[in-house]
Amino acid sequence: MRNRSLPGRHITDCQMRLYMSFRQADTPTIAAAKAGFSSATAYRIEQDLRLPSQKKAPRGRRRRDPLSAVWDSEVVPLLKSVPGLRPVAIFDAIRRANALPLPLRYEPWLFNDIAGAAVRRSPR
């Protein structure tokens, strides 16, 4: 990948050092552009001058995964058998297999069923 300044990418220690060397002569916005990241990141760096490798690692998952119980046993086999399956069809299959009630805001007017054919349902 040639464009290394994509949004969502973490900055490296090398970029941080490069930014700090440019920052001695330039404004944060110009120094950030030369180092290859946004001016918002530059102002965030100004608040905490530690290298990215020296900062505390981000926390892991804060809530348990709601699909962990059915992922390997139901979802993965469905996706392997019908690769183009839509998410709402997977949700409906999980709901039917586990006899779960419908959430209040779920209205399946038009969705793909497990076989992949479009199914039109009338409102209840």
Side-chain angles (χ1 to χ4, degrees):
M1 178 183 289
R2 296 198 50 88
N3 187 2
R4 295 181 107 8
S5 62
L6 294 174
R9 292 185 59 103
H10 298 281
I11 64 168
T12 62
D13 288 354
C14 182
Q15 283 179 304
M16 177 87 167
R17 287 188 191 100
L18 190 62
Y19 168 77
M20 294 309 288
S21 67
F22 288 135
R23 182 66 182 97
Q24 292 175 356
D26 297 322
T27 64
T29 305
I30 294 172
K34 288 181 178 180
F37 50 83
S38 70
S39 59
T41 302
Y43 287 109
R44 192 174 63 243
I45 287 172
E46 294 287 328
Q47 301 299 317
D48 185 10
L49 297 175
R50 292 179 297 163
L51 292 173
S53 63
Q54 296 173 343
K55 294 180 183 177
K56 184 178 172 182
R59 273 181 31 184
R61 190 177 262 286
R62 282 144 177 89
R63 285 182 259 154
R64 69 174 195 84
D65 186 7
L67 295 176
S68 62
V70 295
W71 187 260
D72 289 328
S73 61
E74 296 178 30
V75 177
V76 173
L78 278 174
L79 289 172
K80 284 183 179 177
S81 65
V82 184
L85 198 60
R86 294 180 58 190
V88 71
I90 294 171
F91 173 74
D92 198 47
I94 292 170
R95 187 185 56 79
R96 274 188 271 132
N98 296 305
L100 300 174
L102 281 176
L104 294 176
R105 296 184 55 97
Y106 177 71
E107 293 293 332
W109 301 107
L110 178 66
F111 68 95
N112 284 347
D113 69 350
I114 297 212
V119 175
R120 187 154 194 77
R121 293 199 174 171
S122 60
R124 294 178 206 187

